[in-house]
């Protein structure tokens, strides 16, 4: 079976294209025997906006990410795989002098071409960085908007590239890109042969796999919308949008990791010690916790100044039966010191968004009636009381009632 090209091979190919554009040639990134409009390039942009011709010639994308990202004045933007600088120059005009635009590229020839193009265009609020998608040379929470045009698919480690995009985004930041995806049901041989013929992709994934990778990276809303077919329909151009969870000042919500185990279980125990969080009296081992929760939709709130965990949320399946595959039960715990900061609301919102993105249609929970704070938190998030199960179990020597609540997603339709 044909092998995906290495990072070095991809960089070498695009460096050749940069040199062609710099010397007045028209780069062809579309493989032998294909037409230059196979991946559209700069043809996807509206005519009439003046940019250096070399930047337009080096536009090798599959769409127009600026129509997706909705960049606002004053925002800080990062273009992943900035090529000849076309999207950086156009973004700089949209964000204005109060904003900043970074272009990241792995090829020094592309960096040199983009720098010259930006200078010619008079874009002073830009900076080009030499680096890789999987190792972005920017600090955490530095960017408002990440854009990219037909580049993420070229990464040899797409989950790492998406995780890095998540890392550099501020809470509430957004990803707005165009990219190449594979049609469902393709054999690996046909997919790779089509990629080689078009030159538009290297290891493209399906829309469903792309969405799952975004969720795994920590994005809680994610859509992948097919726009047009490429080549013989085995590949498609797509608009990809995702958002990082919003959070209170000084807080970040990110995916739960195994390294968080001690702090997660400590917060868990703190909640159990109140006597109103659960019938359990002792937090489980990490192995039991991990086995009992779904691998996705585990979020933690982190103090950005100290790195300490402030709270967490996760879900468990309610049944192994297929009919209940879209129904989960939530657990949410906030440390005593973090209460009153909006951490619980932010965690629950992140959970609702990520479960809806994954097609889950019902979140349910059972809460002791004495736990008025948790009941109010869930009610504000759209949960309703279904009923009270009286004297359902003994806890600390007395019978306890449990209020059964649920939230039915208004945007996720259960499968018939």
């Amino acid at each position: 079976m044909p092998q995906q090209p290495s990072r070095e091979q991809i960089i070498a190919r695009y460096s050749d294209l940069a040199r062609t554009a710099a010397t007045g040639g028209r780069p062809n990134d579309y493989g032998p025997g294909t037409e230059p409009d196979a991946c559209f390039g700069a043809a996807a942009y509206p005519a009439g906006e003046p940019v250096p011709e070399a930047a337009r010639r080096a536009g090798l994308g599959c769409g127009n990410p600026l129509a997706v990202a909705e960049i606002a004045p004053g925002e800080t933007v990062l273009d992943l795989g900035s090529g000849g600088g076309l999207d950086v120059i156009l973004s700089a005009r949209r964000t204005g002098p109060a904003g900043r635009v970074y272009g990241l590229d792995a090829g020094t020839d592309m960096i040199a071409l983009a720098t010259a193009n930006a200078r010619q265009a008079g874009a002073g609020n830009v900076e080009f960085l030499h680096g890789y998608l999987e190792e972005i040379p920017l600090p955490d929470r530095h960017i408002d908007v990440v854009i990219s045009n037909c580049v993420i698919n070229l990464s040899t480690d797409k989950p790492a590239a998406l995780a890095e995009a998540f890392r550099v985004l501020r809470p509430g930041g957004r990803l707005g890109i165009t990219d190449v995806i594979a049609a469902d049901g393709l054999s690996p041989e046909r997919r790779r042969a089509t990629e080689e013929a078009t030159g538009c992709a290297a290891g493209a994934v399906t829309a469903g796999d792309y969405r799952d990778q975004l969720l795994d990276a920590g994005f809680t809303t994610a859509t992948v919308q097919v726009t047009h077919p490429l080549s013989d329909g085995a590949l498609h151009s797509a608009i990809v949008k995702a958002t990082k969870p919003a959070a209170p000042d000084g807080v970040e919500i990110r995916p739960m990791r195994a390294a968080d185990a001690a702090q997660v279980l400590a917060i868990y125990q703190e909640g159990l010690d109140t006597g109103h969080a659960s019938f359990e009296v002792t937090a489980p081992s990490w192995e039991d916790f991990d086995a009992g929760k779904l691998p996705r939709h585990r979020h933690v709130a982190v103090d950005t100044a100290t790195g300490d965990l402030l709270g967490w949320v996760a879900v468990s399946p309610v049944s192994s039966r297929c009919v209940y595959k879209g129904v989960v039960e939530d657990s949410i715990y906030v440390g005593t010191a973090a209460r009153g900061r909006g951490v619980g609301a932010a965690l629950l919102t992140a959970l609702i968004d990520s479960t809806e993105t994954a097609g889950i249609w019902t979140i349910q929970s059972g809460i002791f009636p004495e736990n008025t704070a948790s009941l109010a938190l869930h009610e504000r998030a759209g949960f309703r009381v279904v009923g009270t199960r009286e004297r359902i179990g003994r806890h600390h020597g007395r019978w306890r009632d449990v209020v059964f609540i649920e939230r039915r997603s208004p945007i996720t339709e259960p499968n018939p």
Side-chain angles (χ1 to χ4, degrees), residues 29-382:
D29 183 34
Y30 313 106
T34 58
E35 292 299 319
D37 63 352
C39 280
F40 279 136
Y45 296 80
E49 191 156 16
V51 294
E53 184 57 32
R56 193 175 292 278
R57 284 198 305 270
L60 302 170
C62 57
N64 178 3
L66 301 185
V68 176
E70 300 176 347
I71 296 167
E75 290 189 313
T76 302
V77 181
L78 170 63
D79 181 14
L80 297 177
S82 50
L86 177 60
D87 290 323
V88 169
I89 294 168
L90 297 177
S91 296
R93 293 174 182 167
R94 285 156 175 78
T95 195
R100 186 77 174 166
V101 184
Y102 296 94
L104 175 72
D105 207 279
T108 55
D109 291 285
M110 278 295 187
I111 293 288
L113 175 63
T115 301
N117 288 335
R119 187 182 303 113
Q120 182 182 346
N125 55 338
V126 306
E127 181 179 350
F128 292 97
L129 307 172
H130 181 247
Y132 305 115
L133 304 179
E134 305 83 5
E135 305 166 45
I136 300 173
L138 286 171
D140 298 350
R141 300 175 296 278
H142 191 66
I143 300 296
D144 297 305
V145 188
V146 171
I147 64 173
S148 185
N149 193 351
C150 196
V151 174
I152 302 294
N153 70 86
L154 295 173
S155 172
T156 54
D157 189 346
K158 294 169 186 61
L162 293 173
E164 275 291 271
F166 180 88
R167 178 186 66 80
V168 301
L169 279 170
R170 297 187 175 109
R174 59 199 188 275
L175 179 84
I177 68 176
T178 53
D179 211 353
V180 172
I181 62 171
D184 291 327
L186 286 182
S187 69
E189 292 81 5
R190 186 184 172 201
R191 181 175 63 186
R192 186 71 202 108
T194 304
E195 290 171 348
E196 288 184 338
T198 62
C200 300
V205 299
T206 65
D209 288 341
Y210 212 132
R211 182 207 64 193
D212 289 345
Q213 289 180 3
L214 288 164
L215 287 172
D216 291 341
F219 295 98
T220 49
T221 68
T223 60
V224 183
Q225 178 186 354
V226 173
T227 56
H228 57 269
L230 306 173
S231 186
D232 59 356
L235 301 177
H236 293 82
S237 179
I239 292 171
V240 181
K241 294 183 178 181
T243 54
K244 182 170 181 172
D249 290 343
V251 178
E252 178 180 50
I253 295 176
R254 62 160 173 80
M256 186 184 295
R257 304 164 183 158
D260 298 323
Q263 292 190 74
V264 166
L265 297 180
I267 292 171
Y268 201 166
Q269 188 62 56
E270 200 175 70
L272 296 179
D273 290 343
T274 67
H276 295 311
S278 170
F279 279 106
E280 298 173 358
V281 295
T282 303
S285 68
W286 176 254
E287 291 73 20
D288 288 342
F289 178 95
D290 188 47
K293 307 298 183 187
L294 291 181
R296 293 196 178 102
H297 319 300
R298 304 181 186 188
H299 308 286
V300 295
V302 182
D303 187 309
T304 58
T306 65
D308 293 337
L309 263 60
L310 305 174
W312 59 267
V313 68
V315 295
S316 306
V318 300
S319 173
S320 60
R321 295 176 60 191
C322 182
V323 68
Y324 294 113
K325 67 180 180 180
V327 184
V328 296
E329 182 174 4
D330 80 304
S331 299
I332 181 167
Y333 286 75
V334 177
T336 302
R339 292 171 191 168
R341 295 178 57 182
V343 170
L347 283 167
L348 194 52
T349 298
L351 176 70
I352 290 169
D353 288 344
S354 68
T355 52
E356 287 185 335
T357 295
I360 289 172
W361 56 81
T362 298
I363 305 173
Q364 66 182 42
S365 190
I367 301 175
F368 289 143
E370 295 85 354
N371 194 349
T372 55
S374 185
L375 286 169
L377 172 68
H378 283 81
E379 182 181 1
R380 289 193 297 270

